[in-house]
């Protein structure tokens, strides 16, 4: 996986969504229009953290390479270098997947 050329600002992160399921558990192939929007992805880039009132930055609780679960309609979808990615605020991340 090549590096992405984005540097998110403040408490934003860049996530590459995992591919949506193409078949149901029963084996039915789903067309693109019927697929659920993916809600899991891999963190590609992390901003420096939100600027606090005292001038310091808060720590971000996710790191590059983490797999996260985010809200279905959260963030902004963009394409960069031919890849579909999402830019989210840290607060849009619901959980970190622990393996």
């Amino acid at each position: 996986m090549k590096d992405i050329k984005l540097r998110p600002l403040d408490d934003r992160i860049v996530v590459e969504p995992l591919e949506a399921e193409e078949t149901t558990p029963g084996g039915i192939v789903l067309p693109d229009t019927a697929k659920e929007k993916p809600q899991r992805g891999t963190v590609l880039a992390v901003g420096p953290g939100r600027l606090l009132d005292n001038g310091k930055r808060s720590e971000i609780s996710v790191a590059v390479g983490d797999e996260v679960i985010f809200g279905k309609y959260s963030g902004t979808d963009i394409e960069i270098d031919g890849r579909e990615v999402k830019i989210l605020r840290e607060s849009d991340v619901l959980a970190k997947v622990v393996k």
Side-chain angles (χ1 to χ4, degrees), residues 11-64:
D11 65 336
R12 290 180 180 85
I13 62 173
V14 178
V15 174
E16 183 171 40
L18 298 175
E19 291 297 315
E21 292 294 323
E22 304 219 359
T23 57
T24 65
I28 298 170
V29 177
L30 297 171
D32 286 342
T33 55
K35 290 180 188 173
E36 287 274 327
K37 287 182 77 160
Q39 290 180 262
R40 284 174 78 147
T42 304
V43 177
L44 300 177
V46 177
R50 185 171 42 89
L51 192 59
L52 302 173
D53 291 338
N54 64 7
K56 295 184 179 179
R57 293 207 176 259
S58 65
E59 267 189 48
I60 293 195
S61 56
V62 296
V64 173

Side-chain angles (χ1 to χ4, degrees), residues 1-6 44 81 83:
M1 187 185 321
K2 73 178 188 183
D3 289 332
I4 193 145
K5 293 180 174 91
L6 280 179
L44 300 177
D81 296 335
R83 293 162 74 179

